[in-house]
Amino acid sequence: MLKFYFHQTPNPMKVALFLEETGLPYELVAVDTLKGEQHTPEYRAINPNGKTPALEDDGKRVFDSTAILMYLSEKTGKLAGQPEDRSEMLSWLMFVATGLGPYSGQSVHFRHKAPEKIPYAINRYLREAERHYEVLETHLEGREYMVGDSYSIADISTWGWIDKATVVLGEGGLDNYPNLKRWFDSIDARPAVQKARDIPETIDFKTEFDDVAARALYPQNFDKNS
Ligand SMILES: N[C@@H](CCC(=O)N[C@@H](CS)C(=O)NCC(=O)O)C(=O)O
């Protein structure tokens, strides 16, 4: 059976949504990143990058949410999009993996988490996140789905981050992005989304952002030997 290494954060949530959409049986393994469980040698053997999500399938490991979505859609033939849309599929998956995701993550970090408020960094990452939202807004004009005419892993991947719009951009969230909002609302209404959102409810993840959590998530702020 698939083993799915999970935390309640955007990249693992994409994989949770794929699994709930397809009904593939899986065993959930919680990785409490605020406790530093992503850094254990056992977990690094599955994901050498020390992040969530990761997957084990019959002795094989797959790490990185985009790799996992591609792996599972190729393995099952589900939510893979049409062969003639492959170029679009790859392009949008990489747009999320290398652009929307990282810039959104850094925007959240500098707005909400960084120990110092650095206006240059806050502005840089917010504006880049907004620029990616604008690209999506234009792309989704008159479109129901990210790629082609069907729901696919491109929608799942994009949903994972757009779900955090208010944390990334501020209270207004998707107010300035009507096409993106229409698309998001239609994806977010899918029954599998609620099932994916229910997964963390069954797990007692650490929520306290104390010294242990800060060292686990932002080790660069601490002396390597302290
Ligand atoms: N490119 C990776 C990024 C994974 C990632 O950044 N995961 C976050 C949760 S969304 C994480 O595990 N953070 C814990 C940490 O940074 O120690 C992917 O798409 O899976």
Side-chain angles (χ1 to χ4, degrees):
M1 191 191 292
L2 297 170
K3 256 188 175 181
F4 170 34
Y5 293 84
F6 173 80
H7 189 262
Q8 55 183 343
T9 32
N11 291 308
M13 284 300 288
K14 302 170 187 173
V15 177
L17 179 52
F18 182 97
L19 291 168
E20 294 302 334
E21 287 285 5
T22 54
L24 279 177
Y26 66 91
E27 177 192 339
L28 189 92
V29 184
V31 180
D32 202 329
T33 54
L34 270 69
K35 290 184 184 161
E37 291 176 356
Q38 69 276 42
H39 302 306
T40 65
E42 294 75 23
Y43 186 67
R44 288 291 173 108
I46 297 151
N47 186 344
N49 194 30
K51 306 264 177 191
T52 56
L55 192 78
E56 278 187 295
D57 181 18
D58 202 15
K60 293 186 292 281
R61 72 180 185 191
V62 196
F63 59 90
D64 195 287
S65 59
T66 309
I68 296 170
L69 291 177
M70 292 175 74
Y71 174 83
L72 288 177
S73 72
E74 281 166 24
K75 177 186 163 90
T76 59
K78 292 183 176 168
L79 305 177
Q82 296 305 310
E84 63 270 23
D85 293 326
R86 187 72 180 152
S87 58
E88 280 288 301
M89 176 64 77
L90 292 174
S91 303
W92 288 110
L93 285 175
M94 296 310 143
F95 170 88
V96 175
T98 66
L100 179 70
Y103 282 112
S104 297
Q106 294 305 319
S107 178
V108 172
H109 180 78
F110 284 104
R111 284 164 66 83
H112 302 290
K113 304 283 186 196
E116 303 160 61
K117 293 274 174 254
I118 307 165
Y120 181 88
I122 292 171
N123 184 53
R124 159 81 183 158
Y125 289 114
L126 174 62
R127 294 290 285 271
E128 269 300 297
E130 286 173 345
R131 197 182 61 74
H132 282 77
Y133 275 63
E134 281 154 21
V135 172
L136 288 169
E137 173 66 12
T138 304
H139 175 63
L140 287 166
E141 169 89 51
R143 304 187 62 90
E144 198 174 341
Y145 300 108
M146 282 293 296
V147 171
D149 295 325
S150 59
Y151 177 60
S152 72
I153 54 172
D155 296 292
I156 290 178
S157 186
T158 310
W159 168 85
W161 276 105
I162 298 303
D163 188 38
K164 297 292 169 208
T166 52
V167 195
V168 173
L169 304 181
E171 260 180 35
L174 294 177
D175 286 357
N176 294 329
Y177 307 93
N179 294 320
L180 190 50
K181 182 164 176 16
R182 171 188 42 77
W183 165 88
F184 176 78
D185 288 346
S186 81
I187 304 296
D188 205 53
R190 297 179 68 90
V193 167
Q194 191 51 53
K195 289 187 194 160
R197 292 195 197 284
D198 288 343
I199 296 172
E201 304 302 320
T202 63
I203 305 164
D204 188 19
F205 278 121
K206 177 177 164 75
T207 51
E208 194 190 353
F209 205 86
D210 57 9
D211 191 60
V212 171
R215 285 171 186 271
L217 292 177
Y218 312 129
Q220 72 278 2
N221 295 341
F222 297 87
D223 192 303
K224 276 188 180 162
N225 304 314
S226 72

